Amino acid sequence: MIRIGLLGLGTVGTGVVEILEKRQEELKFLTGEEIKIKKILVKDINKKRKIQLEENIITYDYDEILNHEDISIVVELTGDLEQGYRYIKAALESGKNIVTANKAVVSKYLEELSSLAAKKDLAFLYEASVGGGIPILKSLKEELALNKITEVEGILNGTCNYILTEMFNEELDYEEVLEVAQEMGYAEADSTADVKGYDTLRKLRILGTLAFQGEINENDILLEGISEIIPFDIEQIKKKESTIKLIGEVKELEDGFTALVQPTIIKEDSYFANVNNAFNSVVFRGDNVGELNFYGLGAGMLPTANAVLGDVIDIIKGSYRKGNPLGKRKLKNLNTKLKNEYYLRISSPNDSIYKSIENISKELLSKKDNIAIITKEIEYLEIVELLSSLGIDNNNYFIARILK
């Protein structure tokens, strides 16, 4: 029998319990083992829950899991950065395999925890931290044996994709759509990490570091979120027979890489234009396999729980990639070589501001209530520095790169 210690019984934790109960016979046939959750760590032991649990299975004392000799796999689903890190590190040090969906922990401590797991000859798996139910990390690790990966890009956040889809299709304000997304469970009450792009950035950092076999940190990635978009911007984009998505992208360039998370204007007939609502999609390119596309629900109780249990199965069967999956390549950040045309909108404009940005303008779209331009090919940071020098607050402008 395989015994699991589950840390957290929120949305995903509940999904893990439900799938295990529903698919117990099938899992035993597949793995040759009965899989049982032995202990569940929660903050509030007296909280009423939607699922039936065995007596004495819940605990608020992590040591009950850490010191339990029969528990061989710890599934960390707390969603907390520093506490989650401490739980994972302690479990690895005590000889337990780890599965987590905690993208914040994986992104910040990827090298340290991967090294510790390899040193202890244990599993540290985190499929659910990127792309929800999409099996992207396992596929990426497998292809690395045969391919040099040269590019990874994707729509990696369901909340942002839902908001942009609804604004584009239903002509609603950003705040209206965000409120609906929160009611439907697509967005958290505090949606900052999603709409400011941090969630996408963390996922891209994980994907890029694995794909390029060299360290790409969070601060290596150019970042722009979607929170300042307004219906006026959507109107201008539609006139160009285009749509807009928040896209994360890492590309190999010479002996280094470029990395960005930015709202991106794409033609209506392009691949990512058809990825809508809360769906995610990831594309990577290898020198032998060519382009591989992955599509599916990027979040939600059951898709994410499904990815978590996929990792559990791989540990039981011993089918995961052993050792440290991270490479030792030394990569240069070449974002300064990255140039694009950009859509730029500035609210509350005046003649002085327009004259100041005239030099970077290729096409004037509007000069009335908002200044809107298509820039010449230019570095993103040049635009940001210009806006800063003009004293324009980041709440008063919106930037999106344009892909032709």
Side-chain angles (χ1 to χ4, degrees):
M1 179 182 288
I2 302 297
R3 294 173 176 85
I4 293 171
L6 179 62
L7 313 185
L9 194 55
T11 301
V12 179
T14 300
V16 167
V17 174
E18 287 187 4
I19 294 175
L20 275 178
E21 288 179 352
K22 185 170 61 177
R23 306 292 295 180
Q24 189 61 242
E25 288 185 18
E26 291 84 357
L27 288 168
K28 186 174 182 179
F29 178 79
L30 177 65
T31 64
E33 297 279 0
E34 183 180 347
I35 305 171
K36 180 181 178 64
I37 296 176
K38 187 68 177 177
K39 285 287 181 182
I40 302 175
L41 182 73
V42 297
K43 290 180 180 178
D44 183 359
I45 203 167
N46 297 312
K47 181 180 177 181
K48 288 186 178 180
R49 308 181 192 278
K50 297 179 181 178
I51 51 176
Q52 291 277 358
L53 297 169
E54 291 182 23
E55 194 174 349
N56 299 322
I57 195 172
I58 289 181
T59 181
Y60 56 81
D61 182 4
Y62 184 47
D63 284 342
E64 286 192 35
I65 293 173
L66 201 61
N67 299 326
H68 201 299
E69 292 184 1
D70 293 336
I71 291 176
S72 59
I73 301 173
V74 170
V75 176
E76 189 278 321
L77 303 174
T78 66
D80 185 275
L81 174 56
E82 296 305 332
Q83 191 178 59
Y85 162 68
R86 289 192 295 271
Y87 287 154
I88 291 171
K89 185 176 181 181
L92 289 170
E93 287 175 338
S94 70
K96 300 184 190 303
N97 296 291
I98 286 290
V99 173
T100 183
N102 195 328
K103 66 188 75 67
V105 171
V106 177
S107 178
K108 185 172 181 179
Y109 297 104
L110 180 59
E111 285 76 19
E112 178 189 346
L113 295 176
S114 297
S115 177
L116 177 58
K119 181 181 177 182
K120 294 281 189 177
D121 195 24
L122 295 166
F124 171 51
L125 302 182
Y126 38 88
E127 184 67 63
S129 69
V130 178
I134 304 173
I136 180 65
L137 295 183
K138 184 176 180 179
S139 301
L140 182 57
K141 289 175 186 176
E142 288 174 352
E143 292 302 332
L144 281 168
L146 297 170
N147 288 267
K148 180 181 182 182
I149 306 300
T150 58
E151 182 176 355
V152 179
E153 61 179 336
I155 295 171
L156 299 169
N157 183 273
T159 300
C160 289
N161 206 42
Y162 175 80
I163 289 170
L164 293 175
T165 300
E166 289 296 291
M167 287 187 72
F168 198 86
N169 292 341
E170 304 300 327
E171 299 182 357
L172 298 172
D173 288 337
Y174 168 82
E175 294 293 344
E176 288 181 271
V177 182
L178 176 59
E179 189 175 333
V180 173
Q182 288 168 332
E183 289 172 358
M184 296 179 69
Y186 291 148
E188 301 289 342
D190 180 0
S191 60
T192 303
D194 293 318
V195 299
K196 294 292 186 181
Y198 299 117
D199 179 81
T200 299
L201 179 144
R202 289 165 184 149
K203 294 171 181 175
L204 188 68
R205 177 278 205 268
I206 296 166
L207 284 167
T209 296
L210 281 168
F212 289 5
Q213 290 292 284
E215 192 170 345
I216 298 175
N217 286 309
E218 292 182 7
N219 57 12
D220 286 320
I221 302 170
L222 298 178
L223 176 63
E224 191 76 41
I226 69 162
S227 57
E228 308 311 324
I229 194 169
I230 60 175
F232 174 86
D233 301 319
I234 300 294
E235 183 184 336
Q236 303 308 311
I237 294 164
K238 281 184 174 181
K239 288 178 182 177
K240 297 291 184 182
E241 297 182 340
S242 298
T243 188
I244 186 164
K245 302 291 181 180
L246 184 69
I247 291 178
E249 173 190 286
V250 287
K251 284 186 176 181
E252 185 167 291
L253 185 66
E254 300 164 4
D255 57 345
F257 66 91
T258 60
L260 59 86
V261 172
Q262 291 178 341
T264 302
I265 295 170
I266 53 178
K267 289 296 182 183
E268 290 177 341
D269 60 355
S270 65
Y271 171 73
F272 284 124
N274 296 309
V275 180
N276 291 315
N277 298 311
F279 283 85
N280 284 191
S281 181
V282 183
V283 176
F284 66 79
R285 295 174 180 86
D287 58 349
N288 292 320
V289 75
E291 181 176 293
L292 292 177
N293 296 3
F294 297 80
Y295 172 87
L297 283 168
M301 178 174 78
L302 295 178
T304 308
N306 188 83
V308 167
L309 288 170
D311 281 345
V312 170
I313 290 169
D314 283 344
I315 291 172
I316 295 170
K317 294 176 68 179
S319 56
Y320 65 95
R321 176 176 167 176
K322 305 298 191 296
N324 192 336
L326 308 183
K328 296 180 180 179
R329 290 179 68 197
K330 300 297 181 184
L331 301 170
K332 293 181 183 177
N333 185 322
L334 300 175
N335 283 339
T336 54
K337 296 191 176 184
L338 189 62
K339 292 188 176 182
N340 276 101
E341 291 182 4
Y342 287 87
Y343 166 83
L344 171 64
R345 183 263 304 154
I346 302 172
S347 297
S348 305
N350 56 52
D351 287 340
S352 174
I353 290 175
Y354 177 67
K355 287 177 182 176
S356 297
I357 66 169
E358 206 169 6
N359 287 338
I360 66 168
S361 176
K362 174 185 174 184
E363 178 184 353
L364 175 65
L365 304 177
S366 171
K367 197 181 172 183
K368 295 181 180 178
D369 296 332
N370 299 283
I371 292 176
I373 65 169
I374 303 298
T375 73
K376 300 172 184 176
E377 198 168 86
I378 189 173
E379 285 183 40
Y380 162 75
L381 291 177
E382 284 186 49
I383 302 174
V384 174
E385 288 167 7
L386 175 59
L387 295 172
S388 177
S389 71
L390 294 171
I392 300 172
D393 187 87
N394 57 11
N395 293 323
N396 287 322
Y397 68 81
F398 178 72
I399 301 175
R401 67 176 178 143
I402 299 171
L403 288 189
K404 297 178 181 179

